[in-house]
Amino acid sequence: MSATEPPRVLHVSHTSQPGGAELALARLVGRDRPWRAALHAPPGGGAFDHLRGTDVTVAEDLPALPTGGTRSRAPLLAARYLAALRAGAGVLRRSPLFRDADLVHANTAAAAIICALADRRHRRPLVVHLRGPVNAETLGPLGLPAFTRLALRHADGLVANSRFTLASVMGRPRVPAHRVVLQSPIGIGERVLRPRVRPVVRAVGMVGRLQPWKGQHVFLQAFAAALPDSDVQAYLCGAPLFGEAAYEAELRALATRLGVADRVHFLGHVDDVSAVLDSIDILVHASLGPEALGQTVLQGLARAKPVIATEGGGPGEWIRSGVNGLLVPPGRPEALAGALRRLVASHRLRIELAAAAAGTPGLLSDPECVARHGEFFDAVRRAHRPGPAR
C-alpha cells in the first residue's frame, strides 16, 4: 500500500442474515469511509445485497455455519460446525481479498475464529468486533474455548459495542492492548433535536428481531395489562431469523389469548426505522437479560422518543432512568405495564423524557461512527508486527 492510498480492510461476516450485527456492518461499509472495503460472507440472507454495485467488493462464498452449532452438545452437530469453520478458513486463505488486505475486521466471534484459522502465521492485523458478552451462555460450550484460545490470541484490536461487553473479556489471557468501546452505526440519518410529543398516546412499539430472548411476549403481556380497554395500537417491527419462525406464531396466539389481537400489528422487517419510530409515541425494549448494546434503544434516543428499556447491559449505559428514559427489571411484565401506564397518563413526562433523549450525550451519528472505526483500524494497522501467533 502506498502512503497516499487508503488502507484495504476486509470485513468478514459468518452470516448474511439481517441480524443486528450484520445490519450494523452493512451500515459501516455502505457509507463514505476512509478505507477501501471488501466483504466475505455466506450467500443468501440479504443483509449485504444493497452493497452490490457499490465500491465494496462482495464475495458471498463462505460456507454457512449450522444453526446452534456452538451451543449444542450433540457430537455430530459440533463436528459439522467445526468443519464449516475450517472450510470457511480455507476459503479465506485462498482469497485474493484476504491475501491483499491491510487489515481484517471480524464482525462477530464466529467470524474471528474463521479469520484466526485462516491466518495462523498472523501476517495481517486482525480487529475483532465484540457484539455480545464473552461467556459460555452467549458463545456456547464449543464457541467460548474456540474464541478465547484461538481468535482472541490472534486479535490485534478489539471493538466492543459497550462497556458491559468489553468487561466480559477483560482478565482473560492475551487481551490486546488496542481496544475501544464504540457505538455501532444505527441507521438513523438525522437526529431529532426538537421533539414533537403528541398530547395523546396512539401507538407503542418494539423494533427488533422476533426472538424469545428479545421479549416481545413480555411486551404483549404488559400491553394487555396496561391498556386493556383502549384504542392504543401496538406495533412489532422485525422478523424471525435462524429458524425462529415458530416464535412469531406464538406471539400471534398470545395476542389472541390476551384479547388484543385486533390492536397488535406485525410489520416484519422494516428498512426505514426512522419512519416507524416517528409514527409511534413510546418505544419499548424488553430483552430478558442484559443486552450488549440495544441498537433499538439508541435509535429511539436519536429520534427523541420516550423509551422504556430493561435494566443492565448497554441500555443501562445510555439511559438514566427518569431522565432520558425509563428502566424496568427484565422479564417482569407487571413492571413494564406500570411504566407504560405512567407514560400514557402523563403528557408532561413524555415531553421531559423526549427532550432529554434528544440531548443524550455521546450518541454518535453514523458518519461519526464510521470515522471512529477508521481511526481505530488505522491505529491497529500501524502497530501491527507480522509474526507467529501470540
Side-chain angles (χ1 to χ4, degrees), residues 201-202 229-233 263:
V201 171
R202 296 299 183 192
D229 301 308
S230 167
D231 60 358
V232 176
Q233 307 294 301
R263 294 192 288 128

Side-chain angles (χ1 to χ4, degrees), residues 50-82:
H50 70 285
L51 297 177
R52 295 192 176 278
T54 69
D55 66 337
V56 182
T57 303
V58 178
E60 290 188 317
D61 54 1
L62 295 183
L65 300 180
T67 301
T70 59
R71 295 180 177 84
S72 175
R73 297 187 182 275
L76 181 58
L77 182 56
R80 288 176 52 212
Y81 189 84
L82 289 172

Side-chain angles (χ1 to χ4, degrees), residues 20-21 23-31 129 131 182-188 293 295 298-299 364-371 373:
L23 293 176
L25 176 59
R27 296 174 191 130
L28 181 67
V29 302
R31 305 188 63 93
H129 216 123
R131 302 286 186 179
L182 189 54
Q183 170 200 325
S184 297
I186 57 176
I188 301 296
L293 174 62
Q295 287 190 55
L298 301 190
Q299 291 167 336
L364 301 178
S365 68
D366 282 5
E368 289 170 330
C369 282
V370 171
H373 279 78

Side-chain angles (χ1 to χ4, degrees), residues 54-141:
T54 69
D55 66 337
V56 182
T57 303
V58 178
E60 290 188 317
D61 54 1
L62 295 183
L65 300 180
T67 301
T70 59
R71 295 180 177 84
S72 175
R73 297 187 182 275
L76 181 58
L77 182 56
R80 288 176 52 212
Y81 189 84
L82 289 172
L85 289 174
R86 294 192 183 99
V91 171
L92 280 190
R93 200 177 297 117
R94 295 186 295 271
S95 168
L97 299 177
F98 188 70
R99 183 179 60 248
D100 296 339
D102 298 306
L103 180 140
V104 177
H105 169 229
N107 193 51
T108 59
I113 298 170
I114 294 171
C115 293
L117 286 169
D119 191 14
R120 291 281 195 164
R121 295 187 179 182
H122 201 212
R123 290 176 173 171
R124 54 193 58 75
L126 173 64
V127 170
V128 174
H129 216 123
L130 299 178
R131 302 286 186 179
V134 177
N135 55 40
E137 181 180 0
T138 300
L139 298 181

Side-chain angles (χ1 to χ4, degrees), residues 20-358:
E22 293 69 42
L23 293 176
L25 176 59
R27 296 174 191 130
L28 181 67
V29 302
R31 305 188 63 93
D32 292 337
R33 66 198 112 64
W35 68 87
R36 288 175 288 172
L39 170 71
H40 264 291
F48 308 115
D49 285 354
H50 70 285
L51 297 177
R52 295 192 176 278
T54 69
D55 66 337
V56 182
T57 303
V58 178
E60 290 188 317
D61 54 1
L62 295 183
L65 300 180
T67 301
T70 59
R71 295 180 177 84
S72 175
R73 297 187 182 275
L76 181 58
L77 182 56
R80 288 176 52 212
Y81 189 84
L82 289 172
L85 289 174
R86 294 192 183 99
V91 171
L92 280 190
R93 200 177 297 117
R94 295 186 295 271
S95 168
L97 299 177
F98 188 70
R99 183 179 60 248
D100 296 339
D102 298 306
L103 180 140
V104 177
H105 169 229
N107 193 51
T108 59
I113 298 170
I114 294 171
C115 293
L117 286 169
D119 191 14
R120 291 281 195 164
R121 295 187 179 182
H122 201 212
R123 290 176 173 171
R124 54 193 58 75
L126 173 64
V127 170
V128 174
H129 216 123
L130 299 178
R131 302 286 186 179
V134 177
N135 55 40
E137 181 180 0
T138 300
L139 298 181
L142 176 62
L144 179 61
F147 177 77
T148 55
R149 296 173 189 173
L150 182 62
L152 194 57
R153 69 181 298 194
H154 276 74
D156 297 274
L158 295 178
V159 178
N161 58 7
S162 65
R163 296 192 301 273
F164 167 76
T165 297
L166 183 60
S168 70
V169 78
M170 298 306 295
R172 295 183 181 276
R174 303 181 187 275
V175 177
H178 284 85
R179 48 186 183 263
V180 65
V181 174
L182 189 54
Q183 170 200 325
S184 297
I186 57 176
I188 301 296
E190 184 178 357
R191 288 184 63 178
V192 172
L193 301 180
R194 295 183 178 179
R196 295 182 179 180
V197 180
R198 291 184 290 202
V200 177
V201 171
R202 296 299 183 192
V204 300
M206 286 187 67
V207 177
R209 169 180 153 197
L210 298 185
Q211 179 189 30
W213 190 84
K214 293 289 186 181
Q216 282 90 355
H217 59 287
V218 175
F219 168 62
L220 291 182
Q221 292 167 359
F223 174 73
L227 304 165
D229 301 308
S230 167
D231 60 358
V232 176
Q233 307 294 301
Y235 294 90
L236 293 176
C237 307
L241 301 176
F242 308 114
E244 294 164 340
Y247 183 55
E248 180 176 352
E250 293 172 9
L251 291 173
R252 291 180 182 274
L254 176 61
T256 299
R257 291 198 304 273
L258 294 170
V260 294
D262 60 327
R263 294 192 288 128
V264 175
H265 309 275
F266 292 81
L267 302 185
H269 176 74
V270 173
D271 289 319
D272 192 349
V273 176
S274 293
V276 170
L277 292 174
D278 292 347
S279 71
I280 64 176
D281 301 290
I282 300 170
L283 176 67
V284 174
H285 164 275
S287 291
L288 302 186
E291 184 98 40
L293 174 62
Q295 287 190 55
T296 182
V297 171
L298 301 190
Q299 291 167 336
L301 295 174
R303 297 306 290 182
K305 288 285 130 179
V307 178
I308 305 172
T310 53
E311 298 169 337
E317 297 175 17
W318 288 98
I319 290 182
R320 294 174 57 202
S321 193
V323 177
N324 65 337
L326 297 178
L327 294 175
V328 296
R332 296 270 301 278
E334 69 280 7
L336 179 53
L340 278 171
R341 290 191 199 97
R342 184 181 173 193
L343 280 181
V344 169
S346 178
H347 184 220
R348 177 176 293 277
L349 179 58
R350 298 198 307 277
I351 290 174
E352 292 173 351
L353 294 183

